[in-house]
Amino acid sequence: MEKLMREVKAQLESWPAWLEAKTVVLAVSGGVDSMVMLRLMNELNQLRQYNHLQLVVAHFNHKLRPESDNEAVAIKEIVAEYGCIYFATEWGEPAATNVEAQARDARYQFFAEVIRTTEADVLMTAHHLNDVAETFLMRMTRGTSIRGLQGIRGCYQRLMSDPSGHTVMPTIIRPFIGVTKAELEAYAEKFNVTYFEDASNYMDHFVRNRFRHTYIPQLMQENPQLLQNLLTIQQQIQDSYTVQYADYLDLEPQLLMYSTNHYWLLYIPAFLALPEAKFNMYLRIFFEERLIEDVPAYNRDLVGQLQQMMRNRRDPNQRLQLGHGWVAVKRYDYVQILPEEAGPKAYFGQRLILSRLNHWYALDGGSEAGIFAAHQVSPEMREAAEGWAGLHLSQAQETAPLNFQLRQRQDGDQVAISDELGQVYHKKVGRILMDLKLPSDERNQIKVLVDEKDEIVWLGPVSNSPLSRGPQTDKITHIFLYRKTRQ
């Protein structure tokens, strides 16, 4: 087996997503890297262990060069010789500004469409070691975050949208992540691989080309191992960010929540309780992993201003422009992040579906509710709640979207109650509330939590009723919490 083939095969087999794949989309531009990838994958497909794979080729014609149409025809002919399924499209209206970013967006929308059509598991691109170094150094030069310094990853899942707005989440795989451009060119020459040169790759008025042709060669004169060293550093940053993000996710239910009315609510005391470094890091993770779709560009000064606003105990009401039509509004212990025209608000509809675990949902009247893994609920959280209920969820329920619903009580609602002998009987909620001598206006505000069978598992908030407190048993796996927030 040829050397490059052995290296690529070993790299691919280190990724479980590759071993489980059935349909792979190859992103083929026509350059030397993607045409070598096309040949290698077809060679690999001939091996008995991989002859079950269905290879799909996707070519996006950017229409930015006169020769691109002829290249598209030639690529189609080459793909036909391999016998692969082939999809191609062209950029209908190429952008005049910010061309590289907009071309990438259009290209990946097309890839998402192909993935959705073919039900593919994997999207494979031909990014190589030189691409890794160029991207890393470019981002370092212009300034970026730790997340940005992760650079080009070898194997990861990515949420993508096609032109119609349908989403897919394939695994992106880059088998050449540790292979240099020179190795790919040597392979192409040895096996007479046809490929097409883009003359713009040699024009130094493009920043990437200056790094490619001038800066990186100069640095490699200082250390020929530069490319491999940068890959190692990038992988260490990826590992570090993965750990930090996982730690953030464990604490996120205590730090913030997303309202069903499309705004974010940050709980200031929880952030202030963090060590300084975690406060800084978790707020940046929030911007980059949660707020990125609404506020796609932010800077260090903006995050610093938000931190300062959250730390300012003297002014309980403040406002900060975030850009892109979004604003942060401080109200005592909370910061709402929402579209500027919406104004501060809360939300509670007739029937709210609690589909996510470990997530606070904002309700009307300054309250919030959520279902959390029992080990994440501290005694202080439960004590501060106006109501809670212990739940027992199966493993299947934990992995699937939940179907608990929080709604206003309705006439005819009944709840199951156990007496001292363990006998279960049903009693109308209305009668229970009358027995508690609640005024009619308060009875009308009572909410119930129902499971997928529409059976009531919590009734509240009723401060002096056992129905607003769940039993504490060793079978409890999750806890429903309901609490008031300060306005």
Side-chain angles (χ1 to χ4, degrees), residues 56-76:
V56 177
V57 174
H59 173 69
F60 186 83
N61 182 354
H62 294 90
K63 302 289 286 186
L64 296 174
R65 298 177 295 113
E67 51 275 334
S68 65
D69 288 342
N70 290 333
E71 292 173 2
V73 172
I75 292 169
K76 183 178 181 180

Side-chain angles (χ1 to χ4, degrees), residues 13 34 64 94 100 102 183 208 331 336 394 405 468 485:
E13 291 174 353
S34 66
L64 296 174
E100 183 177 358
Q102 294 200 49
E183 291 177 278
R208 181 175 290 274
R331 293 288 185 268
Q336 284 188 344
S394 65
Q405 299 184 25
S468 65
T485 59

Side-chain angles (χ1 to χ4, degrees), residues 5 31 79 87 102 145 176 190 203 233 238 268 289 324 337 346 367 382 412 421-422 458 468:
M5 171 66 84
V79 171
F87 288 85
Q102 294 200 49
S145 62
F176 297 157
K190 179 178 180 179
M203 299 177 182
I233 292 171
Q238 290 170 0
I268 296 175
E289 299 289 354
H324 302 276
I337 296 180
S367 56
R382 195 163 56 197
L421 299 177
W458 176 82
S468 65

Side-chain angles (χ1 to χ4, degrees), residues 87 179 482:
F87 288 85
V179 179
Y482 175 90

Side-chain angles (χ1 to χ4, degrees), residues 61-322:
N61 182 354
H62 294 90
K63 302 289 286 186
L64 296 174
R65 298 177 295 113
E67 51 275 334
S68 65
D69 288 342
N70 290 333
E71 292 173 2
V73 172
I75 292 169
K76 183 178 181 180
E77 293 174 351
I78 294 170
V79 171
E81 293 176 5
Y82 284 122
C84 297
I85 299 171
Y86 181 67
F87 288 85
T89 193
E90 58 186 39
W91 203 3
E93 297 181 3
T97 59
N98 197 20
V99 176
E100 183 177 358
Q102 294 200 49
R104 180 173 58 250
D105 290 344
R107 186 167 63 247
Y108 275 84
Q109 283 187 6
F110 166 61
F111 293 154
E113 186 175 31
V114 174
I115 290 165
R116 182 168 177 264
T117 301
T118 61
E119 299 182 349
D121 316 282
V122 166
L123 172 64
M124 183 178 292
T125 73
H127 292 86
H128 46 72
L129 185 54
N130 295 71
D131 293 322
V132 170
E134 292 163 14
T135 299
F136 186 85
L137 292 174
M138 286 171 62
R139 292 183 180 180
M140 281 281 290
T141 301
R142 72 167 182 250
T144 189
S145 62
I146 292 181
R147 183 178 185 271
L149 283 179
Q150 292 184 100
I152 300 175
R153 287 175 285 176
C155 180
Y156 70 106
Q157 280 193 301
R158 174 171 173 171
L159 183 66
M160 300 164 56
S161 298
D162 69 11
S164 299
H166 298 104
T167 58
V168 293
M169 187 175 279
T171 298
I172 310 291
I173 282 182
R174 292 165 174 144
F176 297 157
I177 200 76
V179 179
T180 65
K181 179 74 171 286
E183 291 177 278
L184 298 177
E185 290 173 336
Y187 180 95
E189 182 176 1
K190 179 178 180 179
F191 292 98
N192 197 28
V193 175
T194 300
Y195 62 91
F196 306 95
E197 291 278 12
D198 182 348
S200 68
N201 287 335
Y202 299 93
M203 299 177 182
D204 279 351
H205 65 269
F206 292 113
V207 175
R208 181 175 290 274
N209 289 345
R210 294 199 293 275
F211 275 88
R212 179 176 299 164
H213 302 303
T214 304
Y215 308 145
I216 289 179
Q218 289 175 350
L219 291 171
M220 289 186 69
Q221 290 178 10
E222 299 294 332
N223 185 355
Q225 297 300 312
L226 172 74
L227 300 184
Q228 187 59 51
N229 290 344
L230 289 177
L231 177 62
T232 300
I233 292 171
Q234 178 182 280
Q235 290 171 336
Q236 290 172 349
I237 292 173
Q238 290 170 0
D239 291 343
S240 174
Y241 187 82
T242 298
V243 171
Q244 292 177 33
Y245 186 39
D247 290 344
Y248 164 85
L249 289 177
D250 284 342
L251 281 178
E252 188 181 53
Q254 302 172 37
L255 298 173
L256 57 95
M257 66 179 181
Y258 185 65
S259 164
T260 52
N261 208 30
H262 310 299
Y263 71 88
W264 296 93
L265 197 65
L266 279 59
Y267 185 47
I268 296 175
F271 274 97
L272 295 181
L274 296 171
E276 180 73 15
K278 284 191 174 182
F279 187 170
N280 297 339
M281 176 58 66
Y282 288 177
L283 199 56
R284 283 178 167 79
I285 289 177
F286 164 70
F287 267 82
E288 298 215 2
E289 299 289 354
R290 296 290 184 258
L291 203 57
I292 188 69
E293 294 296 326
D294 301 314
V295 185
Y298 78 96
N299 56 49
R300 182 175 58 187
D301 292 340
L302 185 64
V303 177
Q305 291 172 36
L306 181 58
Q307 287 177 315
Q308 189 175 29
M309 185 172 79
M310 295 171 73
R311 292 185 184 282
N312 186 349
R313 298 177 182 273
R314 292 174 298 178
D315 190 350
N317 299 289
Q318 291 180 268
R319 189 181 185 91
L320 176 65
Q321 297 288 339
L322 300 179

